Amino acid sequence: MPPAQSYRILLISTAVAPLGTGLGGGVELFVQNAVQGLQQRHHRLTVVAPEKSVLSNCDRLVQISGKLQPTAHTSQRDTPVVMPEPSVLSAMMTYAQTVQADYDIILHFCYDWLPFYLTPFFQTPIAHYVSMGSLTDAMDVVIAQTTMAFPGTVAVCTQAQAATLPHPHTYRSIGSAVDLSLYDFCATPGRALGWMGRISPEKGLEDAIAAAQATQIPLKILGKLENQAYWEHLQSSYPHAPIEYLGFLDTRGLQAAIRTCRALLMTPKWIEAFGNVAIEALACGVPVLAYHRGGPTEIIRPGKTGWLVEPDSVEGLIDAIAKIDCLDRQACRHQAETEYSLDALAVRYEAWFQDILARDSAT
Ligand code: UDP
């Protein structure tokens, strides 16, 4: 169904990294998919992002210079709000404030305090997409203030993520998507398993490597090498693991490498808000073996498109690996097509914007 109305949308990207570097993690894919899905449905978008950002098929990209924000996933609960000067985030928000009258709505993706705090000072409504679970007290407080003062304006990826935040029932689940045309189905995999994501302790790569060492099944590893010391520690801890690190690949290379895997292992130590890599694997027909924790629990259909394993249990992973042949690679692709298309995502965004704008005009 075509959209009832075409919106003018100002999209504020993450301030932790230029788009296209991979350092933003899954949020980069959230931004790319929102842009593509909404443009395909004839909405007009301007994206504001740190300079050196690369974003394909975008109507208008405004690049802003300044120092990047630190990533939140390495914070402690009491880590204070920081704004390295000259701050790219404050410059992005100043830009948004200046041009806001030209837009119906602002869609915001930073996991940062400032845009939430500034919300009451904007005239154009702001839709906040929170792409990680609770990490710091400062973020919890400002997210809570925003969801209470502006009901319906804060969205999350999954209910598992919402459960980590204050007022868990006030968030709208928007989920994620993949551009299915970029991921090819593979019916006949090789012997290797796959693992992909940022190489950083919260992603728990050590458990996947331990399972590879125990089973002697090759493991392909893809992703941004975020923490070099951690990676070196893993290599020395598992000297006999049959692992191969392929580097950080673009989507084309990623899907070519992953689609021939028998399964994707997801072994996060934190509550994964969504886990974009799960739906990228499904889109290639690759089943997902994941810890029963966070976003993947809402994606995987156990016994059909993957297995959910007791968290932190390498034994559990090994058992699941032994049951990969019960899973159906066609069902994996089918699930990606029906639940995670760009169009389905854009329709969810539209319904969210419609509700925010209806409430805004009623006040
Ligand atoms: N990714 C990539 N190239 C790689 C490995 C991963 O582009 O070689 C991307 C992948 O497409 C996904 C992101 O890294 O979009 C990881 O996102 P996810 O939501 O799984 O985790 P996050 O990094 O947000 O914690």
CSV table of all heavy atoms in Angstrom, one decimal, residues 250-281:
chain,number,residue,atom,x,y,z
A,250,ASP,N,32.5,-5.2,3.3
A,250,ASP,CA,31.3,-4.5,3.0
A,250,ASP,C,30.2,-5.5,2.8
A,250,ASP,O,30.4,-6.7,2.8
A,250,ASP,CB,31.5,-3.5,1.8
A,250,ASP,CG,31.9,-4.3,0.5
A,250,ASP,OD1,31.8,-5.6,0.5
A,250,ASP,OD2,32.2,-3.7,-0.5
A,251,THR,N,29.0,-5.0,2.6
A,251,THR,CA,27.8,-5.9,2.6
A,251,THR,C,28.0,-7.0,1.5
A,251,THR,O,27.7,-8.2,1.7
A,251,THR,CB,26.5,-5.2,2.3
A,251,THR,OG1,26.4,-4.2,3.4
A,251,THR,CG2,25.3,-6.1,2.3
A,252,ARG,N,28.5,-6.6,0.3
A,252,ARG,CA,28.7,-7.6,-0.7
A,252,ARG,C,29.7,-8.7,-0.3
A,252,ARG,O,29.4,-9.9,-0.5
A,252,ARG,CB,29.3,-6.8,-2.0
A,252,ARG,CG,29.5,-7.7,-3.2
A,252,ARG,CD,30.4,-6.9,-4.2
A,252,ARG,NE,29.7,-5.8,-4.7
A,252,ARG,CZ,29.1,-5.8,-5.9
A,252,ARG,NH1,29.0,-6.9,-6.6
A,252,ARG,NH2,28.4,-4.8,-6.4
A,253,GLY,N,30.8,-8.3,0.3
A,253,GLY,CA,31.8,-9.3,0.7
A,253,GLY,C,31.3,-10.1,1.9
A,253,GLY,O,31.5,-11.3,2.0
A,254,LEU,N,30.6,-9.4,2.8
A,254,LEU,CA,30.0,-10.1,4.0
A,254,LEU,C,29.1,-11.2,3.6
A,254,LEU,O,29.2,-12.3,4.0
A,254,LEU,CB,29.3,-9.0,4.8
A,254,LEU,CG,28.6,-9.4,6.1
A,254,LEU,CD1,28.6,-8.3,7.1
A,254,LEU,CD2,27.1,-9.7,5.8
A,255,GLN,N,28.2,-10.9,2.7
A,255,GLN,CA,27.2,-11.9,2.3
A,255,GLN,C,27.8,-13.1,1.5
A,255,GLN,O,27.5,-14.2,1.7
A,255,GLN,CB,25.9,-11.3,1.7
A,255,GLN,CG,26.1,-10.7,0.3
A,255,GLN,CD,25.9,-11.7,-0.8
A,255,GLN,OE1,25.2,-12.7,-0.7
A,255,GLN,NE2,26.6,-11.5,-1.9
A,256,ALA,N,28.8,-12.7,0.7
A,256,ALA,CA,29.5,-13.8,0.0
A,256,ALA,C,30.2,-14.7,0.9
A,256,ALA,O,30.3,-15.9,0.7
A,256,ALA,CB,30.5,-13.2,-1.0
A,257,ALA,N,30.8,-14.2,2.0
A,257,ALA,CA,31.5,-15.0,3.0
A,257,ALA,C,30.6,-15.8,3.9
A,257,ALA,O,30.8,-17.0,4.2
A,257,ALA,CB,32.5,-14.1,3.8
A,258,ILE,N,29.5,-15.2,4.2
A,258,ILE,CA,28.6,-15.8,5.3
A,258,ILE,C,27.7,-16.8,4.7
A,258,ILE,O,27.2,-17.8,5.3
A,258,ILE,CB,27.9,-14.7,6.1
A,258,ILE,CG1,27.8,-15.2,7.6
A,258,ILE,CG2,26.6,-14.3,5.6
A,258,ILE,CD1,29.1,-15.2,8.3
A,259,ARG,N,27.3,-16.6,3.4
A,259,ARG,CA,26.2,-17.4,2.9
A,259,ARG,C,26.6,-18.9,2.7
A,259,ARG,O,25.7,-19.8,2.7
A,259,ARG,CB,25.6,-16.9,1.6
A,259,ARG,CG,26.5,-16.9,0.4
A,259,ARG,CD,25.8,-16.5,-0.9
A,259,ARG,NE,26.6,-16.7,-2.0
A,259,ARG,CZ,27.1,-15.7,-2.7
A,259,ARG,NH1,26.8,-14.4,-2.5
A,259,ARG,NH2,27.9,-15.9,-3.8
A,260,THR,N,27.9,-19.2,2.6
A,260,THR,CA,28.3,-20.5,2.5
A,260,THR,C,28.6,-21.2,3.8
A,260,THR,O,29.0,-22.4,3.9
A,260,THR,CB,29.6,-20.6,1.6
A,260,THR,OG1,30.6,-19.8,2.3
A,260,THR,CG2,29.4,-20.2,0.2
A,261,CYS,N,28.3,-20.5,4.9
A,261,CYS,CA,28.5,-21.1,6.2
A,261,CYS,C,27.3,-22.0,6.6
A,261,CYS,O,26.1,-21.8,6.2
A,261,CYS,CB,28.6,-20.0,7.3
A,261,CYS,SG,30.2,-19.1,7.1
A,262,ARG,N,27.6,-23.0,7.4
A,262,ARG,CA,26.5,-23.9,7.8
A,262,ARG,C,25.6,-23.2,8.8
A,262,ARG,O,24.4,-23.5,8.9
A,262,ARG,CB,27.1,-25.2,8.5
A,262,ARG,CG,27.6,-26.2,7.5
A,262,ARG,CD,28.0,-27.4,8.2
A,262,ARG,NE,26.9,-28.2,8.7
A,262,ARG,CZ,27.0,-28.9,9.8
A,262,ARG,NH1,28.1,-29.0,10.5
A,262,ARG,NH2,25.9,-29.6,10.2
A,263,ALA,N,26.1,-22.3,9.6
A,263,ALA,CA,25.3,-21.6,10.6
A,263,ALA,C,26.1,-20.4,11.1
A,263,ALA,O,27.4,-20.4,10.9
A,263,ALA,CB,25.0,-22.4,11.8
A,264,LEU,N,25.4,-19.4,11.6
A,264,LEU,CA,26.1,-18.2,12.2
A,264,LEU,C,26.0,-18.4,13.7
A,264,LEU,O,25.0,-18.8,14.3
A,264,LEU,CB,25.3,-16.9,11.9
A,264,LEU,CG,25.9,-15.7,12.5
A,264,LEU,CD1,27.2,-15.2,11.7
A,264,LEU,CD2,24.9,-14.5,12.6
A,265,LEU,N,27.1,-18.3,14.4
A,265,LEU,CA,27.1,-18.3,15.9
A,265,LEU,C,27.0,-16.9,16.4
A,265,LEU,O,27.7,-16.0,16.0
A,265,LEU,CB,28.4,-18.9,16.4
A,265,LEU,CG,28.8,-20.3,15.9
A,265,LEU,CD1,30.0,-20.8,16.7
A,265,LEU,CD2,27.6,-21.3,16.1
A,266,MET,N,26.1,-16.7,17.4
A,266,MET,CA,26.0,-15.4,18.1
A,266,MET,C,26.1,-15.6,19.6
A,266,MET,O,25.3,-16.3,20.2
A,266,MET,CB,24.6,-14.7,17.8
A,266,MET,CG,24.5,-14.1,16.4
A,266,MET,SD,22.9,-13.2,16.3
A,266,MET,CE,23.3,-11.7,17.1
A,267,THR,N,27.2,-15.1,20.1
A,267,THR,CA,27.6,-15.4,21.5
A,267,THR,C,27.7,-14.2,22.4
A,267,THR,O,28.7,-14.0,23.1
A,267,THR,CB,28.9,-16.2,21.5
A,267,THR,OG1,29.8,-15.5,20.6
A,267,THR,CG2,28.6,-17.6,20.9
A,268,PRO,N,26.8,-13.2,22.3
A,268,PRO,CA,27.0,-11.9,23.1
A,268,PRO,C,27.0,-12.1,24.6
A,268,PRO,O,26.2,-13.0,25.1
A,268,PRO,CB,25.8,-11.1,22.6
A,268,PRO,CG,24.8,-12.0,22.2
A,268,PRO,CD,25.5,-13.2,21.6
A,269,LYS,N,27.8,-11.3,25.2
A,269,LYS,CA,27.8,-11.3,26.7
A,269,LYS,C,26.9,-10.3,27.2
A,269,LYS,O,26.6,-10.3,28.4
A,269,LYS,CB,29.2,-11.1,27.2
A,269,LYS,CG,30.2,-12.1,26.8
A,269,LYS,CD,30.1,-13.4,27.6
A,269,LYS,CE,30.8,-14.5,26.9
A,269,LYS,NZ,30.6,-15.8,27.7
A,270,TRP,N,26.5,-9.3,26.4
A,270,TRP,CA,25.6,-8.3,26.8
A,270,TRP,C,24.2,-8.6,26.2
A,270,TRP,O,24.1,-9.5,25.4
A,270,TRP,CB,26.1,-6.9,26.4
A,270,TRP,CG,26.0,-6.5,24.9
A,270,TRP,CD1,25.9,-7.4,23.9
A,270,TRP,CD2,26.1,-5.3,24.3
A,270,TRP,NE1,25.9,-6.8,22.7
A,270,TRP,CE2,26.1,-5.4,22.9
A,270,TRP,CE3,26.3,-4.0,24.8
A,270,TRP,CZ2,26.2,-4.4,22.1
A,270,TRP,CZ3,26.4,-2.9,23.9
A,270,TRP,CH2,26.3,-3.1,22.6
A,271,ILE,N,23.2,-7.7,26.6
A,271,ILE,CA,21.9,-7.9,26.0
A,271,ILE,C,21.9,-7.2,24.7
A,271,ILE,O,21.9,-5.9,24.6
A,271,ILE,CB,20.8,-7.4,26.9
A,271,ILE,CG1,20.8,-8.2,28.2
A,271,ILE,CG2,19.4,-7.4,26.3
A,271,ILE,CD1,19.7,-7.9,29.2
A,272,GLU,N,22.0,-8.0,23.6
A,272,GLU,CA,22.0,-7.5,22.3
A,272,GLU,C,20.7,-6.8,22.0
A,272,GLU,O,19.6,-7.5,22.1
A,272,GLU,CB,22.2,-8.6,21.3
A,272,GLU,CG,22.7,-8.4,20.0
A,272,GLU,CD,24.1,-7.9,19.9
A,272,GLU,OE1,25.0,-8.7,20.1
A,272,GLU,OE2,24.4,-6.8,19.5
A,273,ALA,N,20.7,-5.5,21.6
A,273,ALA,CA,19.4,-4.8,21.4
A,273,ALA,C,18.6,-5.5,20.3
A,273,ALA,O,17.4,-5.7,20.4
A,273,ALA,CB,19.6,-3.4,21.2
A,274,PHE,N,19.3,-5.8,19.3
A,274,PHE,CA,18.6,-6.5,18.1
A,274,PHE,C,19.6,-7.6,17.7
A,274,PHE,O,19.3,-8.8,17.9
A,274,PHE,CB,18.3,-5.5,17.0
A,274,PHE,CG,17.5,-6.2,15.9
A,274,PHE,CD1,16.1,-6.3,16.0
A,274,PHE,CD2,18.1,-6.7,14.8
A,274,PHE,CE1,15.4,-7.0,15.1
A,274,PHE,CE2,17.4,-7.3,13.8
A,274,PHE,CZ,16.0,-7.4,13.9
A,275,GLY,N,20.7,-7.2,17.0
A,275,GLY,CA,21.5,-8.2,16.4
A,275,GLY,C,21.3,-8.3,14.9
A,275,GLY,O,20.8,-9.3,14.4
A,276,ASN,N,21.7,-7.2,14.2
A,276,ASN,CA,21.5,-7.2,12.8
A,276,ASN,C,22.1,-8.3,12.1
A,276,ASN,O,21.6,-8.8,11.0
A,276,ASN,CB,22.1,-5.9,12.2
A,276,ASN,CG,21.2,-4.7,12.5
A,276,ASN,OD1,20.0,-4.7,12.1
A,276,ASN,ND2,21.7,-3.7,13.1
A,277,VAL,N,23.2,-8.8,12.6
A,277,VAL,CA,23.9,-9.9,11.9
A,277,VAL,C,23.0,-11.2,11.8
A,277,VAL,O,23.2,-11.9,10.8
A,277,VAL,CB,25.3,-10.3,12.5
A,277,VAL,CG1,26.2,-9.1,12.4
A,277,VAL,CG2,25.1,-10.7,14.0
A,278,ALA,N,22.1,-11.3,12.7
A,278,ALA,CA,21.2,-12.5,12.7
A,278,ALA,C,20.3,-12.4,11.4
A,278,ALA,O,20.2,-13.4,10.7
A,278,ALA,CB,20.3,-12.5,13.9
A,279,ILE,N,19.8,-11.3,11.1
A,279,ILE,CA,18.9,-11.2,9.9
A,279,ILE,C,19.6,-11.2,8.6
A,279,ILE,O,19.1,-11.6,7.6
A,279,ILE,CB,17.8,-10.1,10.0
A,279,ILE,CG1,18.5,-8.7,10.1
A,279,ILE,CG2,16.9,-10.3,11.2
A,279,ILE,CD1,17.4,-7.5,10.1
A,280,GLU,N,20.9,-10.7,8.7
A,280,GLU,CA,21.7,-10.8,7.5
A,280,GLU,C,22.0,-12.2,7.1
A,280,GLU,O,22.0,-12.6,6.0
A,280,GLU,CB,23.0,-10.0,7.7
A,280,GLU,CG,22.8,-8.5,7.9
A,280,GLU,CD,24.1,-7.7,8.0
A,280,GLU,OE1,24.6,-7.6,9.2
A,280,GLU,OE2,24.6,-7.2,7.0
A,281,ALA,N,22.3,-13.0,8.2
A,281,ALA,CA,22.5,-14.4,7.9
A,281,ALA,C,21.3,-15.1,7.4
A,281,ALA,O,21.3,-15.8,6.4
A,281,ALA,CB,23.0,-15.1,9.2
